Amino acid sequence: MKIELGISTFGETTPLEKTGQAISHDERIRDLLEEVELADKLGIDAFAVGEHHRKDFAVSAPEIILAMAAARTKQIHLSSATTNLPTIDPIRVYEQYASIDAVAPGRIEIMAGRGSFTEAFELFGYDLADYDDLFKEKLDMLLKINENEILDWPKGKFTPKIDHKGIYPRSKRPLPIALATGGSIDSTIRAAEMGLPIVYATIGGKFKDFQPLTKLYRAVAEKTGKDLTKMPIAAHSWSWLAHDREKAIKDYFYPTKFLIDTISQERPHWTGLSYEKYLESINYEGAIFVGDANMVANKIIKMIETLGLTRFYLHLPVASMPHEDVMQAIEIYGKEVIPKVKQYFADK
């Protein structure tokens, strides 16, 4: 059984506990590129970079970060996490990622999503009331562009009529496109019916709560005659690693609480994070992965088996930690966690 293990990030720029100061956006981007290079040298399978348009995340244009990373790496697969399709032109998305694929052929993927934050709708002049319809129409257009050099596209509600125009440059083969979701039933069904790989953001509660969704995805895919061997099921989870388990748990509370408390001020269905809730979320049933190599490896194994995953992204970190500590966490993941997980599944 082949398991792909990667890292995801949003280029976090929240205040550090020791200084109370946030890392600047330019410094965080430079640090992020060093992190991708290290992951590549360690043989980590993939690195995914997400799009946000907020002060607390440095990455608003993941395709630019991925292009720089492609030029500085040799083997690691590179993906967005996500490309927020409702507020971007699908033609430009394809052109950008096909251009990156020319530098790193066969290593580039688009992870398409609607975005967990909504600031881009107002920023780029879109109506939040069209949240779902925008995504559906633009996803359909992106998939057609990916398969066809010459595009014929009827005028949609949000996209223009295209009469037999070529879209360039072209990748040598269709680009891998996965659908990212926070746990939507509709997105699960849509991805399965379209034959698209799926990525679940398992960031709260217990990871086993996503089991009905992964079962539904497989059931719909089988019913509609899709080839599940070409449709990896993935998840990404907030995480932190250190050689000392208790130190990892202690150090990760501040940034996690800071981010959750910030978001809870913006979203009425979120609440602030207490230390007791934090400990619940990082236990062996919880959706956040914090601890030493053995603890995290064992929990990844359990999650993969429970949900039937073939891909897993460790989100390192979800809010800012010192760069040298992030680099150490990546080393632990690459040298200690990944070998243990892959060895476990090697003969399964």
Side-chain angles (χ1 to χ4, degrees):
M1 181 177 176
K2 183 181 178 183
I3 299 293
E4 295 180 27
L5 298 170
I7 292 171
S8 60
T9 185
F10 301 148
E12 302 77 0
T13 54
T14 56
L16 296 172
E17 183 175 13
K18 290 182 180 179
T19 66
Q21 299 296 314
I23 302 168
S24 66
H25 290 116
D26 58 337
E27 181 180 354
R28 183 66 189 98
I29 288 170
R30 291 192 295 270
D31 289 347
L32 173 53
L33 290 171
E34 289 185 5
E35 291 160 16
V36 181
E37 285 185 283
L38 176 59
D40 183 55
K41 290 175 183 175
L42 292 169
I44 294 172
D45 293 322
F47 208 108
V49 182
E51 174 188 348
H52 294 82
H53 301 268
R54 301 167 54 92
K55 186 177 181 180
D56 42 10
F57 300 115
V59 180
S60 60
E63 62 278 356
I64 303 297
I65 306 298
L66 295 173
M68 291 187 285
R72 297 166 70 157
T73 57
K74 296 180 179 179
Q75 60 185 347
I76 196 165
H77 284 242
L78 299 166
S79 175
S80 55
T82 63
T83 294
N84 296 340
L85 272 186
T87 55
I88 195 169
D89 182 345
I91 295 174
R92 293 296 289 161
V93 171
Y94 178 83
E95 291 174 340
Q96 289 163 349
Y97 283 85
S99 298
I100 306 170
D101 189 70
V103 179
R107 295 199 282 130
I108 305 304
E109 181 171 347
I110 300 168
M111 196 185 294
R114 289 174 292 186
S116 60
F117 294 96
T118 60
E119 69 280 342
F121 283 81
E122 182 178 358
L123 189 63
F124 297 115
Y126 290 95
D127 190 338
L128 192 57
D130 297 323
Y131 185 81
D132 288 319
D133 292 339
L134 274 163
F135 180 70
K136 292 174 186 176
E137 185 173 315
K138 291 190 175 186
L139 178 61
D140 286 343
M141 189 181 198
L142 177 61
L143 293 173
K144 188 163 186 180
I145 294 167
N146 195 36
E147 297 290 342
N148 299 276
E149 177 180 343
I150 306 300
L151 179 63
D152 288 294
W153 182 257
K155 179 176 174 58
K157 184 178 179 182
F158 310 103
T159 52
K161 179 178 174 61
I162 308 291
D163 286 324
H164 213 63
K165 300 293 184 183
I167 309 299
Y168 304 106
R170 303 299 303 179
S171 58
K172 289 188 176 181
R173 63 193 65 80
L175 295 170
I177 298 175
L179 192 152
T181 175
S184 161
I185 293 175
D186 289 342
S187 293
T188 297
I189 294 171
R190 183 183 304 130
E193 289 178 339
M194 300 175 84
L196 294 176
I198 195 162
V199 186
Y200 291 101
T202 54
I203 59 174
K206 298 178 179 180
F207 60 76
K208 70 178 181 180
D209 294 339
F210 285 79
Q211 191 177 52
L213 289 171
T214 58
K215 286 183 175 180
L216 174 64
Y217 176 81
R218 284 190 289 272
V220 173
E222 289 171 356
K223 184 178 180 180
T224 53
K226 298 298 186 294
D227 185 355
L228 275 165
T229 64
K230 298 177 181 178
M231 299 164 60
I233 302 173
H236 93 112
S237 298
W238 295 354
S239 60
W240 188 243
L241 278 159
H243 291 297
D244 182 279
R245 179 184 302 183
E246 294 305 318
K247 185 177 188 306
I249 292 170
K250 177 180 177 295
D251 289 349
Y252 199 56
F253 175 63
Y254 174 85
T256 307
K257 177 176 173 56
F258 185 93
L259 185 66
I260 290 178
D261 288 359
T262 299
I263 296 174
S264 68
Q265 294 173 12
E266 305 169 4
R267 300 181 183 183
H269 59 286
W270 282 54
T271 57
L273 184 68
S274 67
Y275 195 68
E276 291 70 28
K277 282 185 181 178
Y278 170 70
L279 291 179
E280 282 182 26
S281 69
I282 65 173
N283 67 23
Y284 275 108
E285 301 291 333
I288 302 178
F289 290 60
V290 181
D292 58 16
N294 280 333
M295 181 176 182
V296 171
N298 289 335
K299 192 169 172 180
I300 291 173
I301 289 168
K302 185 175 182 180
M303 183 177 187
I304 288 172
E305 290 189 319
T306 300
L307 302 185
L309 305 178
T310 49
R311 284 178 171 178
F312 179 77
Y313 297 91
L314 209 62
H315 195 93
L316 278 172
V318 71
S320 292
M321 297 290 277
H323 176 53
E324 60 273 17
D325 294 345
V326 177
M327 295 289 273
Q328 182 187 74
I330 293 171
E331 283 224 20
I332 296 170
Y333 184 50
K335 292 181 176 180
E336 301 179 46
V337 175
I338 288 178
K340 181 173 181 177
V341 175
K342 290 202 170 187
Q343 181 59 46
Y344 178 86
F345 287 106
D347 301 322
K348 288 188 178 293

